[in-house]
Amino acid sequence: LDGLPPLDGPVAGLLGATILLGGVSWLDDVHQWPPVLKLAAQFAAAILVVATGPYPHGVLSPIMGDVPGAVLGGVLSVLGLVYLTNAVNFMDGLNGLISGAVMLACLVLGGLMLGGPTPGGPMLGGPMLGGMALILAAALAGFLPFNFPAGRIFMGDVGSQSCGLLIGAFGLACAAGQPAGAAWSAVPLMLAGVLYDVTYTLVRRWRRGARLMESHREHLYQLATTGGLSPVAVTLVQWGFVLWGGGIALLVTRGRLAAVTAMGLVLLPQLGWTWLVR
């Protein structure tokens, strides 16, 4: 290791958080721990990421405007990381869906973090976090042929939760580089298909009075396959959502498109997808 640059705080914190979450996920697979323990590990990992790395001190929202304060920014960042970690985990039920989606999103995020300054300010996270995003994309590219279209190996909770935490951390690093810009929207735009499916399903089950902690097969991507669409087609649709959101994210971070307009552009395909599979 002589001659290699030392790990900075954000990278060391992210690696430690990923090891923590992956280790607990593996032990949970072995011992079948109660869900609350897994949730506690997710919060601990998210807190470690936020405490050691760059995160938005002012959280931008199209509804709330600029919400200042390091504490509030940190709390919202932790909650966002935990939600994204679970969303990625929930959607890992179809060959290649999550591995391909996260791979494509990491390629875009890596380019953003290594691509130099933008109209809203520099895309931060630094070259090390940008490089980590591209390394994760490369790792998933090597994994994908064994997971899609036929699944011979699978991510499991260890892989899917770690991917959710990592891509969320990369997104926070981008957002920290543009405290007055719209880089906060990059990950939500690219993973709109994942976030919409999970949120829509949770709300629908909550309104029906279903137990939210129970396993089920009511996600939109699952309804699509049971309704007759091939698993390969559904996976490709989800990849298309990521590419569509990635193109929009590039326009937003370069000041060519407002974040609110961008959110509408990624929501429209989700509404069409909902109509199709329901």
Side-chain angles (χ1 to χ4, degrees), residues 1 146 244:
L1 299 178
F146 301 95
W244 173 246

Side-chain angles (χ1 to χ4, degrees), residues 5-40:
L7 294 179
D8 58 12
V11 174
L14 183 53
L15 289 176
T18 305
I19 292 171
L20 168 65
L21 185 58
V24 172
S25 299
W26 177 73
L27 290 172
D28 176 63
D29 284 341
V30 174
H31 300 290
Q32 295 297 302
W33 287 342
V36 66
L37 292 180
K38 187 161 60 175
L39 184 63

Side-chain angles (χ1 to χ4, degrees), residues 119-217:
M123 298 299 296
L124 291 188
M128 292 193 74
L129 283 179
M132 285 180 67
L134 296 180
I135 290 171
L136 178 57
L140 289 170
F143 170 83
L144 194 58
F146 301 95
N147 184 240
F148 178 82
R152 286 175 282 171
I153 57 176
F154 305 93
M155 298 180 74
D157 283 356
V158 176
S160 61
Q161 290 194 71
S162 298
C163 282
L165 179 73
L166 285 166
I167 195 169
F170 299 149
L172 288 179
C174 283
Q178 282 194 357
W184 61 269
S185 64
V187 168
L189 288 172
M190 285 185 286
L191 295 186
V194 171
L195 295 171
Y196 176 89
D197 192 318
V198 169
T199 304
Y200 176 85
T201 303
L202 284 174
V203 171
R204 183 160 52 90
R205 285 173 55 79
W206 170 73
R207 292 185 61 186
R208 201 174 67 239
R211 298 181 63 179
L212 300 183
M213 299 297 289
E214 286 185 346
S215 60
H216 61 87
R217 292 191 55 82

Side-chain angles (χ1 to χ4, degrees), residues 4-102:
L4 292 177
L7 294 179
D8 58 12
V11 174
L14 183 53
L15 289 176
T18 305
I19 292 171
L20 168 65
L21 185 58
V24 172
S25 299
W26 177 73
L27 290 172
D28 176 63
D29 284 341
V30 174
H31 300 290
Q32 295 297 302
W33 287 342
V36 66
L37 292 180
K38 187 161 60 175
L39 184 63
Q42 293 170 353
F43 269 100
I47 290 171
L48 181 57
V49 169
V50 172
T52 58
Y55 64 90
H57 288 263
V59 179
L60 298 178
S61 164
I63 298 175
M64 300 170 63
D66 188 16
V67 182
V71 173
L72 181 57
V75 169
L76 293 179
S77 296
V78 168
L79 293 175
L81 280 176
V82 172
Y83 191 82
L84 183 58
T85 298
N86 280 288
V88 170
N89 181 235
F90 293 161
M91 292 290 286
D92 184 33
L94 207 61
N95 290 341
L97 193 158
I98 282 299
S99 53
V102 174

Side-chain angles (χ1 to χ4, degrees), residues 223-238:
L223 296 178
T225 56
T226 57
L229 288 177
S230 73
V232 171
V234 175
T235 294
L236 292 177
V237 167
Q238 291 293 331

